[in-house]
Amino acid sequence: MRSRKPEHDYEHVWQWLLRYYRGRMSRADAGLPPLESRRGGPRPPGLRQVDVDVLLCGGAGVYAKIENNDFRPQPELFLRITELLKFSPYHLRIAYLDLYGAEPVLPVQQPSPHWRKVLNGQSEMACALMPDGHLVAANDAFAELFATGRPPTNFWRWALWSEEAQAVLVDREKWVARLVTELRLAQHRYPDDRAVQKICADLERDPRLQQLTESLVGLDNEALPLHHRKRGRGTARFMASHTPAGLSVWTVLFEAAA
């Protein structure tokens, strides 16, 4: 199916996608009993608009108003509808972008096992982290930062609380202030993610960290002093890219001091 509407169909792509996915879901798929048509034969396949209202446990006629663009739903309701109708991840993003002009914030998903191979193809230090800082993968260049030659299981916790980080992250208060900003953002982006909420709660309980002035920026594209175990002192610039599933891929550009 192409993600553009026919000339005769709904005005917006998100409306067309709602109608498409509603039409391809059977009542049996939705856990609803079959219906007989008034003429005695089987009804056409697909859910009716009123069926979606029943499944949402909402008010009568709400879904029809949404699909007909007579009512703009809150993002939470729209995501419930797309989950119920089993939107593909890509059509969900297309519909959400068309309706709200922004990417949806989706629940954190299990990362691909292939990230280690991806990162090994880079010459710069690189790692892939879950929103709470849990390390998914890292390349050998990144591992050289650490005395053991192995990265910690949670890089954010290492940066915030380990003694080793105090020697590696020069001017550590600047590092920690930017990391706190990253975690504040994750706290609001993933309110239902237990790991994110746990590290943020630990942050709140640390009086030393609470005394720091929170940075106006996070780590992305910030040049900060770093003492590399093998390459000496210099400047590290963390460059971030993010996947829809919640994974952050950080490439660390290191420039040795003159």
Side-chain angles (χ1 to χ4, degrees):
M1 186 190 65
R2 297 179 181 177
S3 54
R4 65 177 182 82
K5 64 182 181 62
E7 294 296 328
H8 61 276
D9 212 338
Y10 285 130
E11 180 182 359
H12 300 287
V13 172
W14 64 265
Q15 291 177 273
W16 175 52
L17 286 169
L18 285 176
R19 183 181 181 186
Y20 170 79
Y21 277 94
R22 177 170 62 83
R24 72 198 294 262
M25 177 173 282
S26 70
R27 292 179 62 82
D29 291 336
L32 296 174
L35 289 177
E36 295 293 327
S37 71
R38 294 179 180 177
R39 297 180 180 179
R43 292 188 61 87
L47 297 179
R48 304 170 301 171
Q49 290 178 331
V50 67
D51 295 330
V52 181
D53 281 325
V54 170
L55 294 168
L56 289 171
C57 300
V62 171
Y63 176 79
K65 290 179 182 178
I66 293 172
E67 189 177 291
N68 296 333
N69 199 22
D70 294 325
F71 170 68
R72 182 184 175 90
Q74 291 294 318
E76 294 81 6
L77 175 57
F78 188 73
L79 289 174
R80 281 183 59 204
I81 293 171
T82 58
E83 182 180 8
L84 186 152
L85 297 179
K86 302 187 185 304
F87 270 48
S88 75
Y90 286 99
H91 281 145
L92 167 58
R93 293 170 66 191
I94 289 170
Y96 200 94
L97 281 163
D98 188 43
L99 179 55
Y100 299 109
E103 289 270 2
V105 178
L106 304 176
V108 178
Q109 299 175 18
Q110 187 68 24
S112 167
H114 302 296
W115 276 108
R116 169 74 180 181
K117 187 174 182 180
V118 171
L119 299 181
N120 277 341
Q122 293 197 42
S123 58
E124 304 287 353
M125 293 181 281
C127 64
L129 305 177
M130 299 296 281
D132 71 314
H134 177 78
L135 187 81
V136 171
N139 63 4
D140 292 340
F142 185 79
E144 289 179 352
L145 270 178
F146 309 95
T148 62
R150 296 192 305 273
T153 57
N154 189 300
F155 183 64
W156 291 161
R157 286 188 177 276
W158 175 87
L160 288 170
W161 289 295
S162 80
E163 292 185 6
E164 182 186 13
Q166 297 181 29
V168 176
L169 307 179
V170 184
D171 200 352
R172 191 158 174 257
E173 287 193 0
K174 287 185 178 179
W175 283 94
V176 172
R178 283 158 177 77
L179 179 52
V180 168
T181 301
E182 295 283 350
L183 286 171
R184 299 281 188 225
L185 178 60
Q187 183 179 25
H188 292 282
R189 180 176 283 156
Y190 303 108
D192 299 323
D193 187 276
R194 291 183 179 180
V196 169
Q197 298 307 312
K198 175 66 168 60
I199 191 173
C200 289
D202 292 343
L203 190 69
E204 296 289 344
R205 286 192 289 265
D206 190 320
R208 179 182 58 85
L209 296 182
Q210 289 303 307
Q211 293 175 2
L212 293 177
T213 302
E214 189 172 328
S215 174
L216 298 178
V217 296
L219 282 176
D220 186 29
N221 198 30
E222 288 294 301
L224 294 168
L226 182 141
H227 187 193
H228 194 285
R229 190 170 62 91
K230 291 186 175 181
R231 300 168 65 183
R233 290 183 176 267
T235 300
R237 187 182 298 272
F238 275 62
M239 306 297 295
S241 59
H242 304 282
T243 73
L247 194 72
S248 297
V249 181
W250 297 85
T251 300
V252 186
L253 308 178
F254 181 78
E255 184 175 345

